[in-house]
PDB file of all heavy atoms in Angstrom:
ATOM      1  N   PRO F 167      -1.853 -43.589  12.557  1.00 96.00           N
ATOM      2  CA  PRO F 167      -0.769 -44.350  12.088  1.00 96.00           C
ATOM      3  C   PRO F 167       0.541 -44.198  13.091  1.00 96.00           C
ATOM      4  O   PRO F 167       0.616 -43.113  13.635  1.00 96.00           O
ATOM      5  CB  PRO F 167      -0.443 -43.755  10.757  1.00 96.00           C
ATOM      6  CG  PRO F 167      -0.821 -42.355  10.792  1.00 96.00           C
ATOM      7  CD  PRO F 167      -2.086 -42.417  11.717  1.00 96.00           C
ATOM      8  N   VAL F 168       1.236 -45.221  13.362  1.00 96.00           N
ATOM      9  CA  VAL F 168       2.341 -45.127  14.243  1.00 96.00           C
ATOM     10  C   VAL F 168       3.720 -45.318  13.502  1.00 96.00           C
ATOM     11  O   VAL F 168       4.818 -45.353  14.028  1.00 96.00           O
ATOM     12  CB  VAL F 168       2.356 -46.265  15.390  1.00 96.00           C
ATOM     13  CG1 VAL F 168       1.147 -45.869  16.276  1.00 96.00           C
ATOM     14  CG2 VAL F 168       2.219 -47.605  14.848  1.00 96.00           C
ATOM     15  N   ASN F 169       3.593 -45.517  12.074  1.00 95.00           N
ATOM     16  CA  ASN F 169       4.780 -45.677  11.299  1.00 95.00           C
ATOM     17  C   ASN F 169       4.746 -44.739  10.166  1.00 95.00           C
ATOM     18  O   ASN F 169       3.737 -44.051   9.855  1.00 95.00           O
ATOM     19  CB  ASN F 169       4.890 -47.111  10.808  1.00 95.00           C
ATOM     20  CG  ASN F 169       5.085 -48.079  11.931  1.00 95.00           C
ATOM     21  OD1 ASN F 169       4.093 -48.929  12.078  1.00 95.00           O
ATOM     22  ND2 ASN F 169       6.061 -47.985  12.734  1.00 95.00           N
ATOM     23  N   ASN F 170       5.975 -44.687   9.447  1.00 95.00           N
ATOM     24  CA  ASN F 170       6.144 -43.794   8.263  1.00 95.00           C
ATOM     25  C   ASN F 170       5.989 -42.351   8.587  1.00 95.00           C
ATOM     26  O   ASN F 170       6.054 -42.004   9.761  1.00 95.00           O
ATOM     27  CB  ASN F 170       5.137 -44.300   7.184  1.00 95.00           C
ATOM     28  CG  ASN F 170       5.417 -45.719   6.923  1.00 95.00           C
ATOM     29  OD1 ASN F 170       6.495 -46.176   6.724  1.00 95.00           O
ATOM     30  ND2 ASN F 170       4.264 -46.479   6.694  1.00 95.00           N
ATOM     31  N   ILE F 171       5.848 -41.507   7.576  1.00 94.00           N
ATOM     32  CA  ILE F 171       5.995 -40.055   7.747  1.00 94.00           C
ATOM     33  C   ILE F 171       4.860 -39.449   8.571  1.00 94.00           C
ATOM     34  O   ILE F 171       4.973 -38.275   9.070  1.00 94.00           O
ATOM     35  CB  ILE F 171       6.201 -39.294   6.454  1.00 94.00           C
ATOM     36  CG1 ILE F 171       5.133 -39.518   5.484  1.00 94.00           C
ATOM     37  CG2 ILE F 171       7.583 -39.720   5.834  1.00 94.00           C
ATOM     38  CD1 ILE F 171       5.183 -38.542   4.262  1.00 94.00           C
ATOM     39  N   TYR F 172       3.663 -40.111   8.689  1.00 96.00           N
ATOM     40  CA  TYR F 172       2.591 -39.548   9.469  1.00 96.00           C
ATOM     41  C   TYR F 172       2.531 -40.199  10.826  1.00 96.00           C
ATOM     42  O   TYR F 172       1.572 -39.913  11.663  1.00 96.00           O
ATOM     43  CB  TYR F 172       1.214 -39.865   8.780  1.00 96.00           C
ATOM     44  CG  TYR F 172       1.218 -39.216   7.288  1.00 96.00           C
ATOM     45  CD1 TYR F 172       0.477 -39.785   6.306  1.00 96.00           C
ATOM     46  CD2 TYR F 172       1.826 -37.989   7.077  1.00 96.00           C
ATOM     47  CE1 TYR F 172       0.429 -39.319   4.983  1.00 96.00           C
ATOM     48  CE2 TYR F 172       1.705 -37.464   5.770  1.00 96.00           C
ATOM     49  CZ  TYR F 172       1.069 -38.072   4.765  1.00 96.00           C
ATOM     50  OH  TYR F 172       0.992 -37.592   3.461  1.00 96.00           O
ATOM     51  N   GLY F 173       3.451 -40.929  11.247  1.00 95.00           N
ATOM     52  CA  GLY F 173       3.445 -41.766  12.441  1.00 95.00           C
ATOM     53  C   GLY F 173       3.333 -41.080  13.730  1.00 95.00           C
ATOM     54  O   GLY F 173       2.806 -41.544  14.743  1.00 95.00           O
ATOM     55  N   ILE F 174       3.796 -39.741  13.736  1.00 95.00           N
ATOM     56  CA  ILE F 174       3.707 -39.022  14.983  1.00 95.00           C
ATOM     57  C   ILE F 174       2.299 -38.898  15.487  1.00 95.00           C
ATOM     58  O   ILE F 174       2.054 -38.703  16.644  1.00 95.00           O
ATOM     59  CB  ILE F 174       4.442 -37.607  14.903  1.00 95.00           C
ATOM     60  CG1 ILE F 174       4.563 -36.976  16.252  1.00 95.00           C
ATOM     61  CG2 ILE F 174       3.789 -36.636  13.857  1.00 95.00           C
ATOM     62  CD1 ILE F 174       5.388 -37.716  17.288  1.00 95.00           C
ATOM     63  N   GLU F 175       1.331 -38.788  14.552  1.00 96.00           N
ATOM     64  CA  GLU F 175      -0.085 -38.632  14.950  1.00 96.00           C
ATOM     65  C   GLU F 175      -0.493 -39.822  15.862  1.00 96.00           C
ATOM     66  O   GLU F 175      -0.982 -39.579  16.966  1.00 96.00           O
ATOM     67  CB  GLU F 175      -0.982 -38.752  13.713  1.00 96.00           C
ATOM     68  CG  GLU F 175      -1.035 -37.505  12.856  1.00 96.00           C
ATOM     69  CD  GLU F 175      -2.050 -37.503  11.768  1.00 96.00           C
ATOM     70  OE1 GLU F 175      -3.074 -38.164  12.042  1.00 96.00           O
ATOM     71  OE2 GLU F 175      -1.928 -36.797  10.778  1.00 96.00           O
ATOM     72  N   GLN F 177       1.583 -41.986  17.311  1.00 97.00           N
ATOM     73  CA  GLN F 177       2.351 -42.177  18.523  1.00 97.00           C
ATOM     74  C   GLN F 177       1.949 -41.195  19.576  1.00 97.00           C
ATOM     75  O   GLN F 177       1.965 -41.602  20.815  1.00 97.00           O
ATOM     76  CB  GLN F 177       3.845 -41.825  18.058  1.00 97.00           C
ATOM     77  CG  GLN F 177       4.496 -42.911  17.262  1.00 97.00           C
ATOM     78  CD  GLN F 177       4.808 -44.203  17.917  1.00 97.00           C
ATOM     79  OE1 GLN F 177       4.683 -44.352  19.051  1.00 97.00           O
ATOM     80  NE2 GLN F 177       5.069 -45.214  17.092  1.00 97.00           N
ATOM     81  N   CYS F 256       0.652 -34.739  11.047  1.00 96.00           N
ATOM     82  CA  CYS F 256       1.617 -34.541  10.003  1.00 96.00           C
ATOM     83  C   CYS F 256       1.226 -34.701   8.691  1.00 96.00           C
ATOM     84  O   CYS F 256       1.953 -34.559   7.718  1.00 96.00           O
ATOM     85  CB  CYS F 256       2.837 -35.482  10.321  1.00 96.00           C
ATOM     86  SG  CYS F 256       4.091 -34.729  11.331  1.00 96.00           S
ATOM     87  N   CYS F 279       3.327 -30.695  11.029  1.00 97.00           N
ATOM     88  CA  CYS F 279       4.553 -30.786  10.281  1.00 97.00           C
ATOM     89  C   CYS F 279       4.616 -29.809   9.112  1.00 97.00           C
ATOM     90  O   CYS F 279       5.646 -29.227   8.878  1.00 97.00           O
ATOM     91  CB  CYS F 279       4.750 -32.229   9.801  1.00 97.00           C
ATOM     92  SG  CYS F 279       5.098 -33.492  11.029  1.00 97.00           S
ATOM     93  N   ILE F 295       6.168 -29.073  14.230  1.00 98.00           N
ATOM     94  CA  ILE F 295       6.831 -30.270  14.796  1.00 98.00           C
ATOM     95  C   ILE F 295       7.594 -30.889  13.603  1.00 98.00           C
ATOM     96  O   ILE F 295       7.223 -30.839  12.442  1.00 98.00           O
ATOM     97  CB  ILE F 295       5.876 -31.222  15.434  1.00 98.00           C
ATOM     98  CG1 ILE F 295       4.777 -31.731  14.386  1.00 98.00           C
ATOM     99  CG2 ILE F 295       5.331 -30.598  16.695  1.00 98.00           C
ATOM    100  CD1 ILE F 295       3.892 -32.788  15.033  1.00 98.00           C
ATOM    101  N   PRO F 296       8.637 -31.712  13.915  1.00 97.00           N
ATOM    102  CA  PRO F 296       9.415 -32.348  12.852  1.00 97.00           C
ATOM    103  C   PRO F 296       8.735 -33.531  12.277  1.00 97.00           C
ATOM    104  O   PRO F 296       8.003 -34.342  12.947  1.00 97.00           O
ATOM    105  CB  PRO F 296      10.685 -32.852  13.686  1.00 97.00           C
ATOM    106  CG  PRO F 296      10.356 -32.902  15.046  1.00 97.00           C
ATOM    107  CD  PRO F 296       9.197 -31.917  15.255  1.00 97.00           C
ATOM    108  N   GLU F 297       9.031 -33.758  11.066  1.00 96.00           N
ATOM    109  CA  GLU F 297       8.528 -34.906  10.313  1.00 96.00           C
ATOM    110  C   GLU F 297       9.549 -35.994  10.517  1.00 96.00           C
ATOM    111  O   GLU F 297      10.730 -35.833  10.195  1.00 96.00           O
ATOM    112  CB  GLU F 297       8.278 -34.608   8.823  1.00 96.00           C
ATOM    113  CG  GLU F 297       7.619 -35.696   7.994  1.00 96.00           C
ATOM    114  CD  GLU F 297       7.235 -35.235   6.569  1.00 96.00           C
ATOM    115  OE1 GLU F 297       8.156 -35.277   5.789  1.00 96.00           O
ATOM    116  OE2 GLU F 297       6.129 -34.678   6.430  1.00 96.00           O
ATOM    117  N   ILE F 298       9.128 -37.228  10.976  1.00 94.00           N
ATOM    118  CA  ILE F 298       9.985 -38.285  11.179  1.00 94.00           C
ATOM    119  C   ILE F 298       9.471 -39.534  10.421  1.00 94.00           C
ATOM    120  O   ILE F 298       8.308 -39.813  10.449  1.00 94.00           O
ATOM    121  CB  ILE F 298      10.042 -38.671  12.692  1.00 94.00           C
ATOM    122  CG1 ILE F 298      10.567 -37.498  13.536  1.00 94.00           C
ATOM    123  CG2 ILE F 298      11.041 -39.876  12.879  1.00 94.00           C
ATOM    124  CD1 ILE F 298      10.765 -37.763  14.988  1.00 94.00           C
ATOM    125  N   ASN F 299      10.356 -40.125   9.673  1.00 93.00           N
ATOM    126  CA  ASN F 299       9.946 -41.398   9.059  1.00 93.00           C
ATOM    127  C   ASN F 299      10.192 -42.546   9.910  1.00 93.00           C
ATOM    128  O   ASN F 299      11.404 -42.990  10.225  1.00 93.00           O
ATOM    129  CB  ASN F 299      10.786 -41.584   7.795  1.00 93.00           C
ATOM    130  CG  ASN F 299      10.159 -42.650   6.759  1.00 93.00           C
ATOM    131  OD1 ASN F 299       9.227 -43.285   7.182  1.00 93.00           O
ATOM    132  ND2 ASN F 299      10.767 -42.787   5.594  1.00 93.00           N
ATOM    133  N   ILE F 300       9.132 -43.077  10.518  1.00 94.00           N
ATOM    134  CA  ILE F 300       9.221 -44.071  11.596  1.00 94.00           C
ATOM    135  C   ILE F 300       9.183 -45.432  10.921  1.00 94.00           C
ATOM    136  O   ILE F 300       8.102 -45.861  10.488  1.00 94.00           O
ATOM    137  CB  ILE F 300       8.124 -43.813  12.722  1.00 94.00           C
ATOM    138  CG1 ILE F 300       8.132 -42.478  13.139  1.00 94.00           C
ATOM    139  CG2 ILE F 300       8.300 -44.845  13.816  1.00 94.00           C
ATOM    140  CD1 ILE F 300       6.952 -42.193  14.108  1.00 94.00           C
ATOM    141  N   PRO F 301      10.273 -46.233  11.021  1.00 92.00           N
ATOM    142  CA  PRO F 301      10.211 -47.562  10.493  1.00 92.00           C
ATOM    143  C   PRO F 301       9.301 -48.483  11.272  1.00 92.00           C
ATOM    144  O   PRO F 301       9.092 -48.339  12.542  1.00 92.00           O
ATOM    145  CB  PRO F 301      11.665 -48.082  10.550  1.00 92.00           C
ATOM    146  CG  PRO F 301      12.494 -46.865  10.812  1.00 92.00           C
ATOM    147  CD  PRO F 301      11.560 -45.941  11.575  1.00 92.00           C
ATOM    148  N   VAL F 302       8.725 -49.479  10.650  1.00 92.00           N
ATOM    149  CA  VAL F 302       7.856 -50.532  11.329  1.00 92.00           C
ATOM    150  C   VAL F 302       8.725 -51.212  12.331  1.00 92.00           C
ATOM    151  O   VAL F 302       9.811 -51.618  12.172  1.00 92.00           O
ATOM    152  CB  VAL F 302       7.360 -51.590  10.285  1.00 92.00           C
ATOM    153  CG1 VAL F 302       6.577 -52.620  11.046  1.00 92.00           C
ATOM    154  CG2 VAL F 302       6.453 -50.781   9.352  1.00 92.00           C
ATOM    155  N   GLY F 303       8.126 -51.187  13.625  1.00 91.00           N
ATOM    156  CA  GLY F 303       8.821 -51.864  14.757  1.00 91.00           C
ATOM    157  C   GLY F 303       9.845 -51.134  15.381  1.00 91.00           C
ATOM    158  O   GLY F 303      10.443 -51.533  16.391  1.00 91.00           O
ATOM    159  N   LYS F 304       9.978 -49.781  14.974  1.00 91.00           N
ATOM    160  CA  LYS F 304      10.957 -48.876  15.624  1.00 91.00           C
ATOM    161  C   LYS F 304      10.304 -47.553  15.966  1.00 91.00           C
ATOM    162  O   LYS F 304       9.153 -47.315  15.613  1.00 91.00           O
ATOM    163  CB  LYS F 304      12.207 -48.699  14.731  1.00 91.00           C
ATOM    164  CG  LYS F 304      13.026 -50.063  14.370  1.00 91.00           C
ATOM    165  CD  LYS F 304      14.263 -49.608  13.535  1.00 91.00           C
ATOM    166  CE  LYS F 304      15.072 -50.915  13.290  1.00 91.00           C
ATOM    167  NZ  LYS F 304      16.313 -50.470  12.453  1.00 91.00           N
ATOM    168  N   LEU F 305      11.100 -46.691  16.573  1.00 91.00           N
ATOM    169  CA  LEU F 305      10.487 -45.420  16.854  1.00 91.00           C
ATOM    170  C   LEU F 305      11.186 -44.254  16.184  1.00 91.00           C
ATOM    171  O   LEU F 305      11.108 -43.095  16.449  1.00 91.00           O
ATOM    172  CB  LEU F 305      10.581 -45.162  18.424  1.00 91.00           C
ATOM    173  CG  LEU F 305       9.690 -46.108  19.227  1.00 91.00           C
ATOM    174  CD1 LEU F 305      10.018 -45.888  20.754  1.00 91.00           C
ATOM    175  CD2 LEU F 305       8.231 -45.666  18.960  1.00 91.00           C
ATOM    176  N   GLY F 306      12.040 -44.639  15.127  1.00 84.00           N
ATOM    177  CA  GLY F 306      12.845 -43.691  14.370  1.00 84.00           C
ATOM    178  C   GLY F 306      14.139 -44.352  13.894  1.00 84.00           C
ATOM    179  O   GLY F 306      14.472 -45.387  14.199  1.00 84.00           O
ATOM    180  N   PRO F 307      14.930 -43.525  13.132  1.00 78.00           N
ATOM    181  CA  PRO F 307      16.162 -44.013  12.694  1.00 78.00           C
ATOM    182  C   PRO F 307      17.107 -44.174  13.843  1.00 78.00           C
ATOM    183  O   PRO F 307      16.938 -43.606  14.922  1.00 78.00           O
ATOM    184  CB  PRO F 307      16.703 -42.860  11.764  1.00 78.00           C
ATOM    185  CG  PRO F 307      15.527 -42.038  11.412  1.00 78.00           C
ATOM    186  CD  PRO F 307      14.523 -42.245  12.612  1.00 78.00           C
ATOM    187  N   THR F 308      18.048 -45.007  13.649  1.00 77.00           N
ATOM    188  CA  THR F 308      19.047 -45.315  14.771  1.00 77.00           C
ATOM    189  C   THR F 308      20.162 -44.197  14.769  1.00 77.00           C
ATOM    190  O   THR F 308      20.764 -43.863  13.788  1.00 77.00           O
ATOM    191  CB  THR F 308      19.894 -46.646  14.554  1.00 77.00           C
ATOM    192  OG1 THR F 308      18.802 -47.705  14.432  1.00 77.00           O
ATOM    193  CG2 THR F 308      20.800 -46.836  15.617  1.00 77.00           C
ATOM    194  N   ARG F 332      13.371 -28.870  -5.093  1.00 97.00           N
ATOM    195  CA  ARG F 332      14.233 -30.110  -5.468  1.00 97.00           C
ATOM    196  C   ARG F 332      14.634 -30.094  -6.853  1.00 97.00           C
ATOM    197  O   ARG F 332      15.776 -30.429  -7.336  1.00 97.00           O
ATOM    198  CB  ARG F 332      13.576 -31.432  -5.092  1.00 97.00           C
ATOM    199  CG  ARG F 332      13.454 -31.652  -3.616  1.00 97.00           C
ATOM    200  CD  ARG F 332      13.283 -33.091  -3.281  1.00 97.00           C
ATOM    201  NE  ARG F 332      12.763 -33.310  -2.075  1.00 97.00           N
ATOM    202  CZ  ARG F 332      12.444 -34.502  -1.572  1.00 97.00           C
ATOM    203  NH1 ARG F 332      12.509 -35.571  -2.427  1.00 97.00           N
ATOM    204  NH2 ARG F 332      11.990 -34.654  -0.418  1.00 97.00           N
ATOM    205  N   TYR F 358      22.381 -44.989   1.788  1.00 91.00           N
ATOM    206  CA  TYR F 358      21.985 -43.602   1.990  1.00 91.00           C
ATOM    207  C   TYR F 358      22.369 -43.087   3.394  1.00 91.00           C
ATOM    208  O   TYR F 358      22.961 -42.006   3.499  1.00 91.00           O
ATOM    209  CB  TYR F 358      20.411 -43.615   1.871  1.00 91.00           C
ATOM    210  CG  TYR F 358      19.832 -42.271   2.150  1.00 91.00           C
ATOM    211  CD1 TYR F 358      19.795 -41.223   1.212  1.00 91.00           C
ATOM    212  CD2 TYR F 358      19.035 -42.165   3.315  1.00 91.00           C
ATOM    213  CE1 TYR F 358      19.167 -40.026   1.411  1.00 91.00           C
ATOM    214  CE2 TYR F 358      18.410 -40.888   3.509  1.00 91.00           C
ATOM    215  CZ  TYR F 358      18.509 -39.909   2.642  1.00 91.00           C
ATOM    216  OH  TYR F 358      17.896 -38.630   2.940  1.00 91.00           O
ATOM    217  N   PHE F 359      22.151 -43.829   4.429  1.00 92.00           N
ATOM    218  CA  PHE F 359      22.438 -43.336   5.799  1.00 92.00           C
ATOM    219  C   PHE F 359      23.890 -43.211   6.075  1.00 92.00           C
ATOM    220  O   PHE F 359      24.344 -42.381   6.703  1.00 92.00           O
ATOM    221  CB  PHE F 359      21.697 -44.292   6.766  1.00 92.00           C
ATOM    222  CG  PHE F 359      20.262 -44.241   6.798  1.00 92.00           C
ATOM    223  CD1 PHE F 359      19.565 -45.237   6.167  1.00 92.00           C
ATOM    224  CD2 PHE F 359      19.549 -43.171   7.251  1.00 92.00           C
ATOM    225  CE1 PHE F 359      18.158 -45.212   6.090  1.00 92.00           C
ATOM    226  CE2 PHE F 359      18.200 -43.149   7.254  1.00 92.00           C
ATOM    227  CZ  PHE F 359      17.413 -44.083   6.682  1.00 92.00           C
ATOM    228  N   MET F 362      25.048 -40.081   4.472  1.00 96.00           N
ATOM    229  CA  MET F 362      24.837 -38.915   5.329  1.00 96.00           C
ATOM    230  C   MET F 362      25.748 -38.858   6.564  1.00 96.00           C
ATOM    231  O   MET F 362      26.275 -37.858   6.925  1.00 96.00           O
ATOM    232  CB  MET F 362      23.351 -39.015   5.840  1.00 96.00           C
ATOM    233  CG  MET F 362      22.284 -38.836   4.759  1.00 96.00           C
ATOM    234  SD  MET F 362      20.586 -38.826   5.381  1.00 96.00           S
ATOM    235  CE  MET F 362      20.482 -37.182   6.062  1.00 96.00           C
ATOM    236  N   ALA F 377       8.026 -29.434   4.973  1.00 94.00           N
ATOM    237  CA  ALA F 377       8.782 -30.229   5.939  1.00 94.00           C
ATOM    238  C   ALA F 377       9.330 -31.434   5.177  1.00 94.00           C
ATOM    239  O   ALA F 377       8.954 -31.899   4.204  1.00 94.00           O
ATOM    240  CB  ALA F 377       7.809 -30.821   6.914  1.00 94.00           C
ATOM    241  N   SER F 378      10.525 -31.945   5.698  1.00 93.00           N
ATOM    242  CA  SER F 378      11.230 -33.082   5.191  1.00 93.00           C
ATOM    243  C   SER F 378      11.785 -33.952   6.263  1.00 93.00           C
ATOM    244  O   SER F 378      12.416 -33.434   7.219  1.00 93.00           O
ATOM    245  CB  SER F 378      12.320 -32.679   4.352  1.00 93.00           C
ATOM    246  OG  SER F 378      13.237 -33.715   3.910  1.00 93.00           O
ATOM    247  N   PRO F 379      11.529 -35.232   6.237  1.00 94.00           N
ATOM    248  CA  PRO F 379      12.099 -36.103   7.295  1.00 94.00           C
ATOM    249  C   PRO F 379      13.605 -36.182   7.255  1.00 94.00           C
ATOM    250  O   PRO F 379      14.232 -36.653   8.153  1.00 94.00           O
ATOM    251  CB  PRO F 379      11.542 -37.474   6.845  1.00 94.00           C
ATOM    252  CG  PRO F 379      11.033 -37.443   5.536  1.00 94.00           C
ATOM    253  CD  PRO F 379      10.722 -35.983   5.182  1.00 94.00           C
ATOM    254  N   ARG F 380      14.239 -35.631   6.094  1.00 95.00           N
ATOM    255  CA  ARG F 380      15.689 -35.554   6.105  1.00 95.00           C
ATOM    256  C   ARG F 380      16.343 -34.727   7.213  1.00 95.00           C
ATOM    257  O   ARG F 380      17.498 -34.931   7.658  1.00 95.00           O
ATOM    258  CB  ARG F 380      16.156 -35.058   4.704  1.00 95.00           C
ATOM    259  CG  ARG F 380      16.149 -35.997   3.660  1.00 95.00           C
ATOM    260  CD  ARG F 380      16.527 -35.379   2.336  1.00 95.00           C
ATOM    261  NE  ARG F 380      16.614 -36.308   1.280  1.00 95.00           N
ATOM    262  CZ  ARG F 380      15.500 -36.796   0.629  1.00 95.00           C
ATOM    263  NH1 ARG F 380      14.347 -36.256   1.081  1.00 95.00           N
ATOM    264  NH2 ARG F 380      15.564 -37.742  -0.359  1.00 95.00           N
ATOM    265  N   VAL F 381      15.648 -33.726   7.618  1.00 97.00           N
ATOM    266  CA  VAL F 381      16.142 -32.871   8.674  1.00 97.00           C
ATOM    267  C   VAL F 381      16.393 -33.652   9.994  1.00 97.00           C
ATOM    268  O   VAL F 381      17.484 -33.646  10.577  1.00 97.00           O
ATOM    269  CB  VAL F 381      15.184 -31.700   9.009  1.00 97.00           C
ATOM    270  CG1 VAL F 381      15.673 -30.824  10.224  1.00 97.00           C
ATOM    271  CG2 VAL F 381      14.942 -30.814   7.811  1.00 97.00           C
ATOM    272  N   VAL F 382      15.417 -34.507  10.422  1.00 96.00           N
ATOM    273  CA  VAL F 382      15.604 -35.297  11.541  1.00 96.00           C
ATOM    274  C   VAL F 382      16.574 -36.403  11.373  1.00 96.00           C
ATOM    275  O   VAL F 382      17.546 -36.689  12.229  1.00 96.00           O
ATOM    276  CB  VAL F 382      14.223 -35.930  11.973  1.00 96.00           C
ATOM    277  CG1 VAL F 382      14.385 -36.958  13.153  1.00 96.00           C
ATOM    278  CG2 VAL F 382      13.293 -34.873  12.450  1.00 96.00           C
ATOM    279  N   THR F 383      16.656 -36.991  10.186  1.00 95.00           N
ATOM    280  CA  THR F 383      17.624 -38.098   9.818  1.00 95.00           C
ATOM    281  C   THR F 383      19.000 -37.434   9.929  1.00 95.00           C
ATOM    282  O   THR F 383      19.942 -38.015  10.468  1.00 95.00           O
ATOM    283  CB  THR F 383      17.296 -38.637   8.393  1.00 95.00           C
ATOM    284  OG1 THR F 383      15.984 -39.119   8.353  1.00 95.00           O
ATOM    285  CG2 THR F 383      18.353 -39.713   8.140  1.00 95.00           C
ATOM    286  N   ALA F 384      19.229 -36.270   9.432  1.00 97.00           N
ATOM    287  CA  ALA F 384      20.477 -35.638   9.419  1.00 97.00           C
ATOM    288  C   ALA F 384      20.953 -35.415  10.953  1.00 97.00           C
ATOM    289  O   ALA F 384      22.153 -35.719  11.301  1.00 97.00           O
ATOM    290  CB  ALA F 384      20.551 -34.203   8.708  1.00 97.00           C
ATOM    291  N   TYR F 386      19.987 -37.161  13.533  1.00 96.00           N
ATOM    292  CA  TYR F 386      20.232 -38.485  14.084  1.00 96.00           C
ATOM    293  C   TYR F 386      21.576 -39.046  13.705  1.00 96.00           C
ATOM    294  O   TYR F 386      22.266 -39.714  14.546  1.00 96.00           O
ATOM    295  CB  TYR F 386      19.226 -39.482  13.475  1.00 96.00           C
ATOM    296  CG  TYR F 386      17.916 -39.562  14.247  1.00 96.00           C
ATOM    297  CD1 TYR F 386      17.295 -38.430  14.812  1.00 96.00           C
ATOM    298  CD2 TYR F 386      17.273 -40.723  14.475  1.00 96.00           C
ATOM    299  CE1 TYR F 386      16.033 -38.476  15.523  1.00 96.00           C
ATOM    300  CE2 TYR F 386      16.113 -40.933  15.268  1.00 96.00           C
ATOM    301  CZ  TYR F 386      15.505 -39.729  15.732  1.00 96.00           C
ATOM    302  OH  TYR F 386      14.327 -39.809  16.438  1.00 96.00           O
ATOM    303  N   PHE F 449      14.542 -34.842  19.265  1.00 96.00           N
ATOM    304  CA  PHE F 449      13.984 -35.378  18.117  1.00 96.00           C
ATOM    305  C   PHE F 449      13.762 -36.904  18.140  1.00 96.00           C
ATOM    306  O   PHE F 449      13.470 -37.557  17.173  1.00 96.00           O
ATOM    307  CB  PHE F 449      14.766 -35.001  16.877  1.00 96.00           C
ATOM    308  CG  PHE F 449      14.908 -33.517  16.654  1.00 96.00           C
ATOM    309  CD1 PHE F 449      15.840 -32.723  17.242  1.00 96.00           C
ATOM    310  CD2 PHE F 449      13.953 -32.895  15.910  1.00 96.00           C
ATOM    311  CE1 PHE F 449      15.934 -31.371  17.124  1.00 96.00           C
ATOM    312  CE2 PHE F 449      14.007 -31.463  15.810  1.00 96.00           C
ATOM    313  CZ  PHE F 449      14.946 -30.776  16.415  1.00 96.00           C
ATOM    314  N   VAL F 450      14.023 -37.490  19.319  1.00 96.00           N
ATOM    315  CA  VAL F 450      13.801 -38.794  19.567  1.00 96.00           C
ATOM    316  C   VAL F 450      12.505 -39.107  20.155  1.00 96.00           C
ATOM    317  O   VAL F 450      12.040 -38.421  21.126  1.00 96.00           O
ATOM    318  CB  VAL F 450      14.902 -39.345  20.460  1.00 96.00           C
ATOM    319  CG1 VAL F 450      14.712 -40.854  20.865  1.00 96.00           C
ATOM    320  CG2 VAL F 450      16.336 -39.304  19.795  1.00 96.00           C
ATOM    321  N   ILE F 451      11.686 -40.254  19.684  1.00 96.00           N
ATOM    322  CA  ILE F 451      10.519 -40.562  20.290  1.00 96.00           C
ATOM    323  C   ILE F 451      10.811 -41.790  21.216  1.00 96.00           C
ATOM    324  O   ILE F 451      11.469 -42.745  20.898  1.00 96.00           O
ATOM    325  CB  ILE F 451       9.566 -41.084  19.127  1.00 96.00           C
ATOM    326  CG1 ILE F 451       9.165 -39.914  18.255  1.00 96.00           C
ATOM    327  CG2 ILE F 451       8.223 -41.703  19.811  1.00 96.00           C
ATOM    328  CD1 ILE F 451       8.312 -40.334  17.000  1.00 96.00           C
ATOM    329  N   MET F 460      10.949 -36.013  21.983  1.00 97.00           N
ATOM    330  CA  MET F 460      10.009 -35.291  21.007  1.00 97.00           C
ATOM    331  C   MET F 460       8.607 -35.032  21.560  1.00 97.00           C
ATOM    332  O   MET F 460       8.006 -33.940  21.426  1.00 97.00           O
ATOM    333  CB  MET F 460       9.987 -36.062  19.696  1.00 97.00           C
ATOM    334  CG  MET F 460       9.078 -35.286  18.696  1.00 97.00           C
ATOM    335  SD  MET F 460       9.329 -35.866  17.024  1.00 97.00           S
ATOM    336  CE  MET F 460       7.783 -35.281  16.272  1.00 97.00           C
TER     337      MET F 460
END
Side-chain angles (χ1 to χ4, degrees):
V168 294
N169 300 116
N170 304 316
I171 59 172
Y172 303 143
I174 189 59
E175 285 189 27
Q177 293 288 351
C256 268
C279 289
I295 60 172
E297 188 172 83
I298 300 180
N299 195 357
I300 306 173
V302 174
K304 296 183 179 180
L305 292 173
T308 303
R332 289 200 199 176
Y358 174 77
F359 294 102
M362 291 184 80
S378 167
R380 279 178 179 79
V381 176
V382 172
T383 304
Y386 273 40
F449 297 89
V450 172
I451 297 173
M460 181 164 162

